[in-house]
Amino acid sequence: MRKAWIAALWAVSSLIVVFLITLPISLQAHLIAGCIVVVMMAILKTFGPSTSVLRKIALALGTAIVLRYVYWRTTSTLPPISQLEDFIPGFMLYLAEMYSVFMLFLSLFVVSAPMAPRKAPPIPPGEHPTVDVFIPTYNEEPELLASTVSAALSMEYPADKLTIWLLDDGGSDQKCQQEDPVQAAAAIQRRADLQKLCEGLGVNYLTRARNEHAKAGNLNNGLKFSKGDLVVVFDADHAPTRDFLTNTVGYFLQDENLFLVQTPHFFINPDPLERNLGTFEFMPSENEMFYGIIQRGLDKWDAAFFCGSAAVLSRRALGETNGFSGITITEDAETALELHSRGWHSIYVDKPMIAGLQPETFASFIGQRSRWAQGMMQILLFHFPPGKRGLTLPQRLCYCSSTFFWLFSYPRLMFLISPLFYLFFSLEIFNASGAEFLAYTTTYMMVNLLMQNYLYGHYRWPWVSEVYEYIQAIYLLPAIISVLANPNKPTFKVTAKGETMEEGHVSEIGRPFFIIFGILLVGVVLTGWRLVTEPFNHDIIIVVGGWNLLNLLLAGCALGVVSERRNRRRSHRVDLLRRCELLIDGTAYAATIDDGSLGGARVRPAANVVLPETERGAPAALRFRPLASNIPIDTLPVTIRNVERSVDGILVGCQFQPDQPLHYRLIADLIFSNSDEWKKFQDSRRNNPGVLLGTIRFVRTAIFQTGRGLSYLIHLQKLWRERRRRPVLAPAKRG
């Protein structure tokens, strides 16, 4: 009976909403109503308490304006089909807008009331399930792997219940026996080096005969040789903190049908946008919107999915699917989809407990995102989540949100080129006057910005999503089209990590952004010219020209993104504040390790300590008490890199000089032990500037980055000219 009343109430409410949306009112009345909604949303956001009721009221008000815009856009603005030159691009723009509205509503469903942070259930003494830790690797360097394996060894868990496996796909029989003798020798040497590393650290090394099904095949090979109740997966560059297992394993004791506990991916280095725009220290990272809010929203509907790393999975559940799915190149989401459809559950724990590395170069970043986009398109084509049998309706909607999201490249590029149809060719693809555009489109855009700020304000600043989408769209659209044309074509490619750049330069794939910027700049010139020559069209020209100017700001920001800053540091510093002794020539000096990275640390001697004079490169050592009780040594060899003297005291720069595997245990204990450090850094960046301040910051950044990008291009042109002018020496004649 109660369900019938709810259904009836929903039906009546829907009829009222439809009536209000389609109610014919004057342009002035709509503009007034839209402005009132914008003001009310801003007041609720600024002064109202952060309660779910007020949040939903504000989102409901915004939704009404969005639906009103959709109705007007559908019934009043499309060009007549008889004018194909206008109708075709006009309808393509309309589809792009409807996609954006569709994704907005999916976002509202997923994240309007996300799951609150969970508290880890304790594991009763003697009831710890056995755990296998898989660290799949392909071409990563032994030093990076040593850090990840060492951090995994330091996790708090009974030693007899924990087994760690390094799954090496770079030293397989296929790699060692390949025809190229140089590459074969490198694979043989890699296998020997990693076997020695694993022996020194006391973990298992495992490879296989052939590199089949990429990462999924590598993980499934690990399942064949291991027996643990639970399987933990860490990417080769994802070093866990000591409390990872204590904060995740207990959930499996509460729910026997749980197949996954996923945790966020936290990165200690900036992605190319953050590094080149200089936002890493104060603006939330791109991944924080997904891991900070979207995964929590998915978790509410039992739809949080496996992200390939930093996760614990049930071996019993994986047995139902014969291991990790390998049909697509995103084995993680595919595996989760299949297990969700079989009735298994998942949980998301919103606490950063791994430290990973993001792609350093723009080209590597695009390569990674292209793989994700292609993999999600494969899932959409091969499994079609909206119709997947076994999923609940909320799960279907959640997987729709996760897969359809990657189609953003089409609307982003349509929004980019649409103003140019009018400015360059006088095509009327959007039938509306300047007053109508102001009343409907402007209020819709303002409401959209406010709704996005409501949903993601602390995790994504205004206009940042547009920049991220634009810099990816140019390359993702061809990648997606290739999948739609041939779903079996994409192959798994490992993302490069730990790259360095000795000098600043324009990315090797950055040229299209300069070309697009030039075209948009011509559009600005045409706007001015048409304002002078067509005074009777001022309202339309101003609207379209303003749209093109906004695109120019996005394009200018992109110039800064593809202008790669110099980056010689391969890992990034974290605060440590660990007591230690600095050993120089056999004498111990009391000190504190202020901060450090994978390469070294800065040590501050105690106030009453006088250090002897030392030269750059002089040998020394750090002695400190490890946090993990299973590390049998306490002294780490270093060399003195520099000595800084200031009014605040002395800082000694030390470079780590590990010469045995156990030294990596000490480095990992220093850098990766404490998850509170990652949480503290995340929280320091999670502030919401609001729509107005965020927009001002975006415009200021866009103007500055436009100048920086153009200066990089000019400098590059000078270098090219200088190289062309250099005389070419003729080869010496033999005789």
Side-chain angles (χ1 to χ4, degrees):
M1 188 69 178
R2 184 170 178 269
K3 290 183 178 180
W5 276 106
I6 293 175
L9 182 61
W10 181 86
V12 172
S13 301
S14 299
L15 290 174
I16 294 173
V17 170
V18 170
F19 171 75
L20 292 175
I21 291 170
T22 59
L23 185 68
I25 59 176
S26 68
L27 205 60
Q28 184 179 10
H30 177 84
L31 180 60
I32 293 172
C35 290
I36 291 173
V37 169
V38 169
V39 171
M40 289 182 64
M41 290 181 68
I43 291 173
L44 288 173
K45 177 64 179 174
T46 306
F47 302 105
S50 180
T51 63
S52 59
V53 174
L54 289 178
R55 178 186 174 96
K56 289 178 181 177
I57 290 174
L59 293 175
L61 290 172
T63 300
I65 295 297
V66 172
L67 290 174
R68 180 78 184 176
Y69 173 79
V70 170
Y71 174 73
W72 170 76
R73 186 76 173 87
T74 304
T75 59
S76 305
T77 65
L78 290 174
I81 196 170
S82 58
Q83 299 174 5
L84 287 179
E85 70 278 9
D86 293 332
F87 178 78
I88 292 175
F91 189 70
M92 291 174 66
L93 174 61
Y94 172 78
L95 290 179
E97 289 188 78
M98 293 306 103
Y99 164 86
S100 298
V101 172
F102 173 68
M103 292 306 299
L104 174 62
F105 288 155
L106 281 181
S107 298
L108 286 172
F109 173 78
V110 172
V111 304
S112 59
M115 178 71 74
R118 300 174 181 271
K119 185 177 181 180
I123 305 174
E127 295 187 19
H128 290 76
T130 53
V131 175
D132 286 309
V133 176
F134 290 170
I135 303 174
T137 174
Y138 182 73
N139 59 0
E140 293 80 9
E141 295 181 0
E143 293 79 9
L144 178 63
L145 295 170
S147 298
T148 303
V149 172
S150 296
L153 281 167
S154 295
M155 291 189 297
E156 296 173 335
Y157 209 74
D160 60 331
K161 301 284 188 176
L162 180 66
T163 307
I164 296 175
W165 301 80
L166 185 65
L167 308 179
D168 179 27
D169 247 8
S172 63
D173 294 346
Q174 179 183 350
K175 291 290 185 181
C176 293
Q177 297 168 7
Q178 59 188 307
E179 294 182 359
D180 188 322
V182 175
Q183 294 185 6
I188 293 171
Q189 184 62 50
R190 173 186 173 84
R191 178 189 284 193
D193 291 342
L194 294 188
Q195 285 177 331
K196 182 179 178 181
L197 172 66
C198 291
E199 183 180 353
L201 292 174
V203 301
N204 298 290
Y205 173 86
L206 182 64
T207 188
R208 53 181 175 151
R210 299 189 59 80
N211 300 76
E212 296 176 338
H213 301 295
K215 182 179 177 180
N218 195 9
L219 293 172
N220 288 333
N221 187 58
L223 288 174
K224 293 179 183 178
F225 290 88
S226 58
K227 299 179 180 179
D229 301 317
L230 303 176
V231 174
V232 178
V233 180
F234 295 126
D235 278 349
D237 61 299
H238 283 187
T241 57
R242 295 176 63 242
D243 58 351
F244 183 89
L245 293 177
T246 57
N247 286 322
T248 54
V249 169
Y251 293 102
F252 289 91
L253 302 179
Q254 290 186 332
D255 184 357
E256 63 179 10
N257 290 323
L258 183 67
F259 83 89
L260 169 72
V261 174
Q262 179 65 56
T263 72
H265 294 184
F266 172 81
F267 299 102
I268 58 174
N269 69 315
D271 66 30
L273 183 143
E274 293 171 316
R275 187 188 70 253
N276 295 326
L277 300 189
T279 63
F280 181 64
E281 296 296 332
F282 60 86
M283 187 183 77
S285 291
E286 180 205 21
N287 63 294
E288 287 191 41
M289 186 174 85
F290 176 73
Y291 288 108
I293 187 76
I294 294 177
Q295 273 282 47
R296 287 171 48 208
L298 295 173
D299 191 23
K300 177 185 178 181
W301 304 109
D302 191 22
F305 61 84
F306 178 36
C307 298
S309 179
V312 188
L313 298 103
S314 164
R315 180 182 292 270
R316 187 164 62 89
L318 291 172
E320 285 197 11
T321 56
N322 296 318
F324 296 89
S325 301
I327 298 176
T328 73
I329 58 175
T330 46
E331 81 295 328
D332 41 18
E334 183 185 0
T335 301
L337 173 64
E338 185 61 35
L339 288 171
H340 273 134
S341 70
R342 293 170 180 258
W344 290 85
H345 306 308
S346 64
I347 278 177
Y348 176 66
V349 177
D350 186 22
K351 182 176 183 180
M353 292 178 289
I354 62 100
L357 296 176
Q358 300 193 87
E360 293 282 358
T361 67
F362 181 69
S364 297
F365 174 84
I366 291 298
Q368 181 189 66
R369 296 311 195 269
S370 296
R371 176 168 60 84
W372 293 354
Q374 289 182 318
M376 283 301 190
M377 288 302 99
Q378 286 181 310
I379 289 176
L380 190 60
L381 294 172
F382 291 145
H383 299 284
F384 195 61
K388 181 75 171 177
R389 181 177 298 178
L391 295 179
T392 64
L393 178 59
Q395 286 176 327
R396 294 173 195 267
L397 293 175
C398 288
Y399 274 103
C400 277
S401 177
S402 300
T403 52
F404 280 104
F405 164 79
W406 289 99
L407 293 170
F408 69 78
S409 54
Y410 168 71
R412 179 53 49 203
L413 292 179
M414 278 305 304
F415 297 152
L416 183 74
I417 66 175
S418 289
L420 303 180
F421 287 118
Y422 180 79
L423 294 174
F424 281 76
F425 309 110
S426 296
L427 298 180
E428 297 183 1
I429 68 173
F430 196 121
N431 287 341
S433 66
E436 288 174 323
F437 192 94
L438 176 66
Y440 284 94
T441 306
T442 303
T443 53
Y444 160 70
M445 290 179 63
M446 293 175 67
V447 163
N448 205 333
L449 279 171
L450 284 168
M451 293 176 75
Q452 295 288 346
N453 195 249
Y454 257 90
L455 296 175
Y456 308 115
H458 289 280
Y459 305 90
R460 179 62 57 82
W461 290 3
W463 304 105
V464 173
S465 286
E466 283 75 11
V467 177
Y468 269 107
E469 289 180 2
Y470 170 58
I471 64 174
Q472 298 177 70
I474 294 174
Y475 292 99
L476 261 56
L477 185 60
I480 289 172
I481 292 174
S482 71
V483 176
L484 297 177
N486 185 356
N488 294 305
K489 182 179 179 179
T491 57
F492 189 97
K493 295 181 181 179
V494 177
T495 305
K497 303 288 179 62
E499 301 163 291
T500 59
M501 286 170 288
E502 295 298 321
E503 299 296 338
H505 66 281
V506 175
S507 171
E508 61 268 30
I509 62 171
R511 180 176 296 180
F513 296 94
F514 289 90
I515 297 173
I516 291 172
F517 180 84
I519 295 173
L520 296 176
L521 194 59
V522 173
V524 173
V525 175
L526 283 176
T527 300
W529 180 75
R530 296 191 67 165
L531 282 172
V532 174
T533 59
E534 302 176 26
F536 49 88
N537 280 335
H538 270 185
D539 56 343
I540 298 297
I541 296 171
I542 290 173
V543 166
V544 178
W547 185 358
N548 182 69
L549 186 61
L550 175 60
N551 287 336
L552 187 70
L553 290 174
L554 288 171
C557 236
L559 298 189
V561 175
V562 300
S563 299
E564 307 267 30
R565 294 182 187 270
R566 183 177 66 176
N567 180 37
R568 296 179 180 178
R569 185 188 298 278
R570 299 194 61 180
S571 57
H572 297 264
R573 292 190 175 278
V574 294
D575 293 332
L576 297 174
L577 299 179
R578 295 274 292 271
R579 291 183 178 179
C580 72
E581 290 180 331
L582 178 60
L583 305 178
I584 301 177
D585 295 331
T587 303
Y589 301 91
T592 300
I593 304 175
D594 268 18
D595 55 45
S597 66
L598 288 177
R602 289 193 292 193
V603 179
R604 185 183 299 275
N608 58 343
V609 167
V610 178
L611 295 179
E613 293 293 330
T614 56
E615 296 181 356
R616 180 181 176 87
L622 293 177
R623 184 162 61 203
F624 58 92
R625 181 179 179 181
L627 296 177
S629 59
N630 60 353
I631 301 179
I633 61 174
D634 63 359
T635 304
L636 177 63
V638 300
T639 56
I640 303 297
R641 192 164 47 196
N642 56 63
V643 178
E644 302 175 8
R645 302 179 187 273
S646 67
V647 293
D648 297 327
I650 298 175
L651 276 178
V652 181
C654 299
Q655 184 171 354
F656 299 144
Q657 297 294 335
D659 55 22
Q660 59 172 291
L662 284 177
H663 288 152
Y664 289 99
R665 296 289 313 274
L666 289 175
I667 296 173
D669 189 83
L670 269 179
I671 307 302
F672 301 119
S673 291
N674 189 3
S675 61
D676 291 338
E677 284 296 322
W678 310 144
K679 180 64 175 173
K680 181 175 70 175
F681 181 60
Q682 269 190 346
D683 290 342
S684 70
R685 298 186 298 181
R686 286 181 176 175
N687 57 87
N688 183 359
V691 173
L692 180 60
L693 184 59
T695 300
I696 294 172
R697 192 191 297 267
F698 161 70
V699 173
R700 187 176 60 198
T701 300
I703 294 172
F704 174 78
Q705 294 301 329
T706 298
R708 193 177 73 86
L710 293 176
S711 70
Y712 268 56
L713 182 65
I714 293 170
H715 177 66
L716 187 62
Q717 294 287 349
K718 289 181 179 179
L719 289 178
W720 284 343
R721 284 197 295 267
E722 289 176 2
R723 289 175 182 173
R724 293 177 66 179
R725 291 172 182 170
R726 290 174 186 170
V728 179
L729 298 178
K733 295 182 179 180
R734 294 182 180 180

